[in-house]
Amino acid sequence: MKRQQYVVIGLGRFGSSVAMELVQLGYEVLGIDRNEEVVYTMGDFLTHTVTADATDEEMLRSLGIRNFDCGIVAIGDDIQMSILATILLKEMGLKSVVAKAISTLHGRALEKLGVDRVIYPERDMGVRVAHQLVTPNLVDY
Ligand code: ATP
């Protein structure tokens, strides 16, 4: 069976962590970031890395992004970039698109674009930590 292929857009703390863990789990991951240094650093850990602006539609098409099984938009601070990159992934017809949000309103905008899952890293981690604190033996990933 073909291994699932993931594309992670934005290799900050969240994006790089998701991308590296997917590789550890045995999946193919293409990491994209506009910051050359970040891409260089991640080159050793991911299947493929590319320095590109996630809103460059031609570039995304030339990378064959539509053939990936899942896209993760891990740009947070720049909401405009997050939304534009998400629209492009949705339009390209990826089976699944997941996006990080930094606020409820950002998350609502992403939901309106039809993303399959919105992730609020700090909020979600806070909930997990609370559960781990009250259930110390909980096996959790
Ligand atoms: P994190 O909390 O995950 O570390 P951050 O808050 O430090 O993220 P973000 O603004 O969320 O930073 O950006 C995450 C990454 O996305 C950065 O490495 C940044 O270079 C990259 N990025 C931002 N905009 C674009 C874009 N248009 N195209 C490609 N990469 C981008």
Side-chain angles (χ1 to χ4, degrees), residues 124-140:
D124 296 350
M125 183 50 89
V127 171
R128 276 178 56 181
V129 169
H131 281 270
Q132 284 164 354
L133 289 172
V134 297
T135 322
N137 295 328
L138 189 72
V139 178
D140 164 59

Side-chain angles (χ1 to χ4, degrees), residues 2 13 23-24 31 59 61 77 106 118 125:
K2 187 175 142 299
R13 287 164 300 179
V23 170
Q24 286 291 315
M59 170 71 89
R61 286 195 193 286
D77 287 347
H106 182 192
V118 177
M125 183 50 89

